[in-house]
Amino acid sequence: MTTAAVLATGLAFGEGPRWRDGRLWFSDFYRHAVFTLDMDGVEAKVVDVPGQPSGLGWLPDGRLLVVSMLDKKVMRLEPDGALVEHADLTELADFHANDLITDNLGRSFVGNFGYDLHHDMAERDVPTILGDESAGSTTLARVEADGSVHVAAEHVRFPNGMALIDDGRTLILAETLRLQLTAFDVASDGTLSNRRVWASTAPQMVAPDGICADPEGGIWVAAALGNAVVRYAEGGEVTGQVETSQIAYACALGGPDGRTLFAMTAPSSEPSVVDGHRLGCIEIATV
């Protein structure tokens, strides 16, 4: 086990970390903006997102895509600085839109909460929620580069972080409330097939939130129920772990050599605990 070091403090709730152009890009839900951070811990704001930002991606021409959670949209940052609607997910998203991943053609897969998880957590305990297959069951959306929206997969439970492996031929999806990493084959037109369990995270009680893939084919998983980012191999073997100072909700690999694991941490995901406060951190470890 490796212990992470704190690189930055003062976030409200960080999500959607991505390494690009020598910097970490990330969303902060409750500061309602996208930021970058360099390896010295210097932060810069990229764009305000009033609808609460989450997942990040880029079109082939370099324009930024960002999920606007509360209005269930994917927004696009134009060269002139204007943030415009790229795709409307309201027909498919049952609650807040959330994470996304974008391939090298500009095609995105976008998840959503499926239902009001925080309200449910106030009413029921975690084991009861996990045992209720209807909780968070929803649709994974596919958004083409032109902004058209399609059904990618149905009956996924709280579809969250994603990773593309095998040169984009396999999509790994974190189903948070199924305690599972689910794999799909990705066809050239973006359709998904051959749904299968890539790894169960249930034995470790890891609720997979944000995830990222490493060059060796392992998947790093932010635990969401604990202070750790855990590496899984296909089949479910745990092959690495980074301990964090707070609960880990998202992760990314980057840094100058590509071996720095960035973890977005906070004391809770409950809005009443973190909204309006600056308790979130970005933690790092070499893996």
Side-chain angles (χ1 to χ4, degrees), residues 147-163:
S148 59
V149 178
H150 311 268
V151 173
E154 296 180 298
H155 308 301
V156 287
R157 288 193 66 194
F158 207 107
N160 210 326
M162 286 165 277

Side-chain angles (χ1 to χ4, degrees), residues 179-192:
L179 304 188
Q180 179 177 301
L181 300 179
T182 303
F184 300 86
D185 294 342
V186 184
S188 59
D189 64 356
T191 56
L192 303 182

Side-chain angles (χ1 to χ4, degrees), residues 153-217:
E154 296 180 298
H155 308 301
V156 287
R157 288 193 66 194
F158 207 107
N160 210 326
M162 286 165 277
L164 287 164
I165 61 173
D166 304 327
D167 295 321
R169 296 189 299 270
T170 302
L171 176 72
I172 308 296
L173 170 67
E175 291 193 72
T176 302
L177 296 185
R178 240 177 214 139
L179 304 188
Q180 179 177 301
L181 300 179
T182 303
F184 300 86
D185 294 342
V186 184
S188 59
D189 64 356
T191 56
L192 303 182
S193 63
N194 191 23
R195 183 190 304 211
R196 58 201 182 274
V197 178
W198 195 88
S200 173
T201 62
Q204 296 79 33
M205 273 303 291
V206 166
D209 196 324
I211 68 174
C212 63
D214 63 27
E216 292 74 37

